[in-house]
Amino acid sequence: MTYPETPRRSWVQRWHVKGIVGTVVLVVLLIASSRMTGVDVGMFFSNFGQFMNLLVRMSSPAWDYTAVIIQPLLETIQMAILGTTIGAALAIPFAVLSASNLIHSRLLRGVTRLFLDLVRTLPDLLLAAIFVAIFGIGSTAGVVTLAIFSFGMVSKLFYEVIETIDMGPLEALESVGASKVTIIWYAVLPQILNQFISYFLYTLEINVRASTVLGYLGAGGIGVFLQRSLNEFNYSQTAVIILATLVVVLVIDGISNHLRRVLL
């Protein structure tokens, strides 16, 4: 006796069911998380009028304030470039020491990666507060903070790229007795140089945004003026600072995209 074959659900039906289940699980997790952390979601909607009032007060920027913030804005860009360059330069040797296909000593790799994990654990705002206390208010604290932040992030990105390279050129140079430095220079760097440049530009974009926040803690740059305008409730000046920072970020993003297309 033969039984009729049960029709199988189409992939559209299966994905529809998965989507419903996933949405329900996500909503349950959000509700549970908000209750566990004490987040009052209703407060956002109850204070929405105050948020709109703030936007209205910022809708009339004080354009004459632009001349005042040009110099600190340039200082912010300089801080980002200098901090990113220093951090990326320091990250290269640590990335090499962390790559499993270049360094076969588990102890050395483990110690290096542990050190990099510790560096990435420190938030940039905490670093800024520490270095402002050490160096005082100014761009020095900002540059050191951005350098350490860039070092921690770029080093991880770099060694992950190194671990994906083709090992053929390395083995060829090792077979003729080439030194470790020669192997890295002629067999490793040519394969990863484009990715290195891409990650450097990406980190620079992040640091331009981060330097504004760091300056709010006294680490130099435009953030100092942002803090001053907010403390004085002068939202027309705050609007000019935000718009000027937005323009700088857009310009750097455009330059970075152009360089990626040219170099990569």
Side-chain angles (χ1 to χ4, degrees):
M1 181 176 181
T2 60
Y3 295 94
E5 184 178 355
T6 303
R8 299 181 60 185
R9 292 183 299 175
S10 65
W11 66 270
V12 176
Q13 294 174 326
R14 292 196 300 269
W15 278 107
H16 181 68
V17 173
K18 291 181 179 179
I20 294 176
V21 174
T23 303
V24 172
V25 171
L26 179 61
V27 171
V28 171
L29 290 176
L30 287 175
I31 295 175
S33 300
S34 63
R35 291 185 176 181
M36 292 174 61
T37 57
V39 175
D40 188 359
V41 181
M43 185 179 296
F44 171 78
F45 298 99
S46 62
N47 293 334
F48 189 74
Q50 183 177 355
F51 172 73
M52 294 303 298
N53 180 48
L54 181 62
L55 289 181
V56 171
R57 297 174 65 180
M58 295 177 61
S59 61
S60 300
W63 297 113
D64 56 338
Y65 193 64
T66 305
V68 179
I69 64 173
I70 289 179
Q71 182 57 38
L73 194 60
L74 294 176
E75 182 181 353
T76 297
I77 299 173
Q78 293 168 353
M79 287 168 49
I81 295 175
L82 189 57
T84 306
T85 304
I86 295 174
L90 294 176
I92 293 176
F94 282 86
V96 172
L97 293 176
S98 301
S100 58
N101 54 346
L102 297 182
I103 304 299
H104 303 294
S105 173
R106 292 187 177 181
L107 177 61
L108 180 58
R109 290 201 318 270
V111 172
T112 305
R113 292 192 180 188
L114 177 61
F115 173 72
L116 296 179
D117 290 338
L118 292 175
V119 172
R120 287 194 302 273
T121 302
L122 300 175
D124 52 353
L125 294 179
L126 175 61
L127 292 173
I130 293 175
F131 290 121
V132 166
I134 296 175
F135 299 109
I137 296 176
S139 58
T140 302
V143 170
V144 176
T145 300
L146 292 176
I148 295 178
F149 171 76
S150 302
F151 166 75
M153 183 177 67
V154 173
S155 57
K156 178 176 176 60
L157 296 174
F158 279 8
Y159 82 70
E160 288 180 348
V161 171
I162 293 176
E163 290 181 338
T164 62
I165 63 175
D166 181 15
M167 296 299 295
L170 281 75
E171 295 172 355
L173 288 177
E174 287 179 350
S175 64
V176 297
S179 64
K180 206 71 174 179
V181 177
T182 303
I183 294 174
I184 294 174
W185 184 262
Y186 289 102
V188 178
L189 285 181
Q191 297 188 60
I192 60 178
L193 184 60
N194 291 342
Q195 289 91 332
F196 274 17
I197 295 174
S198 179
Y199 286 138
F200 174 85
L201 295 174
Y202 173 68
T203 307
L204 177 61
E205 295 176 18
I206 294 177
N207 284 342
V208 170
R209 300 174 177 90
S211 58
T212 303
V213 181
L214 298 182
Y216 190 84
L217 298 177
I222 194 67
V224 177
F225 290 79
L226 178 62
Q227 179 193 33
R228 186 181 304 169
S229 65
L230 289 174
N231 290 340
E232 296 174 355
F233 302 101
N234 195 334
Y235 296 111
S236 59
Q237 293 182 357
T238 303
V240 174
I241 295 174
I242 293 175
L243 291 175
T245 306
L246 174 63
V247 171
V248 171
V249 169
L250 291 176
V251 170
I252 293 180
D253 182 63
I255 295 175
S256 299
N257 292 333
H258 175 71
L259 291 177
R260 287 190 184 99
R261 288 192 297 268
V262 173
L263 298 175
L264 302 184

